[in-house]
Amino acid sequence: MQYKVIKDANRIVKNCPYVVNDPYKNKKRWSEVFGNNHPICLELGMGRGDFIIDMAINYPNINFIGLEVVDSQMVNAVNKLEGKKLNNLKLINADAKEIDNIFGKEIDTIYLTFCDPWPKKGDEKRRFTHPIFLRLYDKIFKKHKHVILKTDNKGFFAYSLETLSQYWYSFNRVSLDLHHDEKPIENIMTNYEKQYFKEGRPIYYVDAKYED
């Protein structure tokens, strides 16, 4: 994806009190960072931060961490957080391939919300539901594996259902049109999702879990 480059983005991000600038030193001690033993949920590729911020607002007894590699994207989240006080939210500016160096077995749920589908076959290993990433998630899940995915890309969704099922995940819930499902699904929308909803585009959703 192409993103608008924001001048001084790195400086703005580093100066935000929500951003953990050296996340590697907190491996196996994220509960100490939050100051409680509440569940910790991680969003990979949080983009502009709409989803993770609203989740933190709506669920104060759950800790949320948003990870994004593009600092020019994170600036949008930083700006939205101005004037807010959310003790259950942290942001990390890092590559998702580094998560096993940032977290021990501490994460309860991983959210994949409108992540890049990397549609070209040569980019398959970069997809967040490729087995390479699923093996990384194994290293950071606290106990049970729990992945929630939302996307507007039908091909990526089909691919993800296949890779998750082959990795022994079962599906708690699958929807081919999240916003028009017969049985409503509790949902916080991302920035992209709000636009897609206006356009009437179907949103694909899966809640996948694996319990040892």
Side-chain angles (χ1 to χ4, degrees):
M1 291 185 180
Q2 295 294 321
Y3 301 105
K4 180 181 178 182
V5 176
I6 297 177
K7 184 180 179 180
D8 296 328
N10 186 259
R11 177 186 59 80
I12 296 169
V13 166
K14 285 186 175 180
N15 288 332
C16 174
Y18 286 93
V19 175
V20 180
N21 287 310
D22 188 7
Y24 301 93
K25 70 179 182 181
N26 294 317
K27 183 175 179 177
K28 297 183 180 180
R29 52 180 298 271
W30 283 96
S31 289
E32 294 177 35
V33 173
F34 284 105
N36 59 61
N37 290 314
H38 295 164
I40 301 175
C41 299
L42 171 67
E43 182 186 15
L44 298 182
M46 70 168 201
R48 299 181 180 183
D50 292 54
F51 175 80
I52 204 72
I53 293 171
D54 284 345
M55 288 292 282
I57 292 170
N58 282 274
Y59 301 97
N61 293 322
I62 298 176
N63 297 319
F64 293 94
I65 300 174
L67 184 146
E68 173 61 50
V69 68
V70 182
D71 51 16
S72 287
Q73 283 284 83
M74 286 195 75
V75 168
N76 294 284
V78 168
N79 290 336
K80 288 173 183 139
L81 286 165
E82 188 173 349
K84 289 185 172 61
K85 187 176 181 180
L86 298 171
N87 297 322
N88 63 330
L89 175 66
K90 300 295 178 186
L91 307 180
I92 298 174
N93 185 199
D95 194 309
K97 290 182 289 187
E98 291 291 312
I99 57 174
D100 61 326
N101 295 318
I102 296 173
F103 305 102
K105 289 188 172 293
E106 304 169 273
I107 302 301
D108 291 88
T109 300
I110 291 176
Y111 290 98
L112 308 175
T113 57
F114 299 89
C115 50
D116 196 326
W118 297 106
K120 294 181 180 179
K121 186 65 177 177
D123 290 328
E124 181 181 346
K125 291 182 179 179
R126 305 179 75 172
R127 298 170 190 164
F128 281 167
T129 51
H130 187 277
I132 287 176
F133 278 100
L134 297 182
R135 286 192 287 272
L136 277 182
Y137 305 159
D138 286 350
K139 297 179 181 181
I140 69 171
F141 277 125
K142 186 175 182 179
K143 189 176 181 182
H144 303 307
K145 306 173 188 179
H146 189 204
V147 174
I148 294 178
L149 178 147
K150 292 194 290 184
T151 181
D152 66 308
N153 189 293
K154 187 176 182 179
F156 174 63
F157 186 67
Y159 170 88
S160 299
L161 292 181
E162 182 177 1
T163 56
L164 287 165
S165 63
Q166 289 177 347
Y167 210 76
W168 300 103
Y169 278 83
S170 60
F171 303 142
N172 295 329
R173 188 75 185 272
V174 176
S175 177
L176 302 180
D177 193 352
L178 174 62
H179 297 292
H180 299 95
D181 202 286
E182 290 183 3
K183 185 179 178 182
I185 298 173
E186 190 172 0
N187 182 54
I188 298 285
M189 286 200 279
T190 73
N191 180 64
Y192 284 122
E193 188 175 358
K194 291 171 186 174
Q195 181 60 41
Y196 297 157
F197 178 71
K198 290 179 182 178
E199 296 172 3
R201 292 164 64 171
I203 303 302
Y204 304 99
Y205 170 96
V206 61
D207 180 330
K209 198 165 187 176
Y210 177 78
E211 298 184 2
D212 295 324

